[in-house]
Amino acid sequence: QVRLVQSGAEVKKPGASVKVSCKASDHTFTNYGLTWVRQAPGQGLDWMGCISAHNEVTTYAQTLQGRVTMTTDTATTTAYMELRNLRSDDTATYYCALTTVGTGWPLDIWGQGTMVTVSP
Amino acid sequence: QSALTQPPSASGSPGQSVTISCTGTSSDVGTYNFVSWYQHHPGKAPNLVIFEVSKRPSGVPDRFSAFKSGNTASLTVSGLQAEDEADYYCSSYAGRNTVIFGGGTKLTVL
């Protein structure tokens, strides 16, 4: 079964950008869709958007439009999520997750999460 | 899009059953049979326990069951065990490749 390994924790200042990576363990990654989800401290899960790994079609949450870009590199089986113009309320754990079962984007394989802290 | 509505907390004793509701609208839960449920232990990645309203992924025990009626989906955990204590989130496909999550329910095993 494919596994996802994310990059390490980040500390950024307001207004900066962060790019989180999510590396899949094998090339079957290109057969699936990948979603980014975040969880702020003490809050629930927040859907950020999704990308089709084989054709890079993306859909972003309206609240993040213009600040987020999701990409994939099929050669290295790595997905990336870049968030720009960071604010304090972007402090959260960011997860990538794959859909390998079903329809409607159920997320059955998750990365371990990446903590991003935005602080002056 | 507002988050799907879940009760903030639920509880039950070991061996009992507990049901968690998830209420959406006719734009998401009511239209699409693409409701998922996740178990989330703090500090770990969420774990998919139900997809497409009532299907269990491989490895998820049949103590987890779910259904949908109208704009409301429900997850039932039967034969409660200590390890079931976690946060539970529902999600629904909402059209145009978008997904919406519920606010989460903290399940306590008494």
Side-chain angles (χ1 to χ4, degrees), chain B residues 82-107:
Chain B
E83 61 260 34
D84 298 331
E85 185 162 296
D87 297 321
Y88 289 82
Y89 293 90
C90 61
S91 74
S92 176
Y93 183 71
R96 298 184 180 180
N97 255 7
T98 66
V99 170
I100 187 169
F101 278 100
T105 298
K106 182 177 180 59
L107 174 60

Side-chain angles (χ1 to χ4, degrees), chain A residues 20-102:
Chain A
V20 179
S21 68
C22 168
K23 182 169 174 58
S25 57
D26 63 55
H27 284 84
T28 57
F29 155 84
T30 59
N31 298 331
Y32 307 121
L34 186 136
T35 297
W36 290 89
V37 175
R38 67 180 179 177
Q39 184 178 36
Q43 302 298 310
L45 301 177
D46 182 31
W47 183 83
M48 299 180 67
C50 58
I51 181 167
S52 172
H54 78 276
N55 63 11
E56 295 215 49
V57 172
T58 55
T59 304
Y60 302 134
Q62 282 190 333
T63 54
L64 295 174
Q65 287 278 1
R67 290 207 299 138
V68 68
T69 301
M70 297 174 187
T71 57
T72 58
D73 182 341
T74 54
T76 61
T77 66
T78 302
Y80 298 93
M81 186 284 299
E82 181 181 34
L83 189 60
R84 299 177 292 279
N85 193 17
L86 289 167
R87 311 185 297 233
S88 58
D89 61 358
D90 292 318
T91 293
T93 298
Y94 289 76
Y95 295 98
C96 60
L98 280 178
T99 294
T100 74
V101 297

Side-chain angles (χ1 to χ4, degrees), chain B residues 24-33 35 68-72 92-93:
Chain B
T25 69
S26 57
S27 298
D28 38 66
V29 175
T31 292
Y32 301 102
N33 289 322
V35 176
K68 186 191 84 168
S69 178
N71 294 341
T72 298
S92 176
Y93 183 71

Side-chain angles (χ1 to χ4, degrees), chain B:
Chain B
Q1 277 178 329
S2 299
L4 305 177
T5 300
Q6 297 182 234
S9 64
S11 63
S13 299
Q16 289 186 332
S17 296
V18 64
T19 296
I20 299 170
S21 62
C22 168
T23 300
T25 69
S26 57
S27 298
D28 38 66
V29 175
T31 292
Y32 301 102
N33 289 322
F34 300 140
V35 176
S36 299
W37 289 89
Y38 301 89
Q39 178 190 63
H40 189 198
H41 290 105
K44 296 189 173 183
N47 180 48
L48 179 70
V49 294
I50 295 286
F51 68 100
E52 291 181 7
V53 176
S54 60
K55 297 179 180 178
R56 283 188 308 277
S58 174
V60 174
D62 60 6
R63 300 187 297 104
F64 291 86
S65 62
F67 72 97
K68 186 191 84 168
S69 178
N71 294 341
T72 298
S74 299
L75 171 73
T76 297
V77 186
S78 304
L80 273 174
Q81 300 180 4
E83 61 260 34
D84 298 331
E85 185 162 296
D87 297 321
Y88 289 82
Y89 293 90
C90 61
S91 74
S92 176
Y93 183 71
R96 298 184 180 180
N97 255 7
T98 66
V99 170
I100 187 169
F101 278 100
T105 298
K106 182 177 180 59
L107 174 60
T108 301
V109 180
L110 302 170

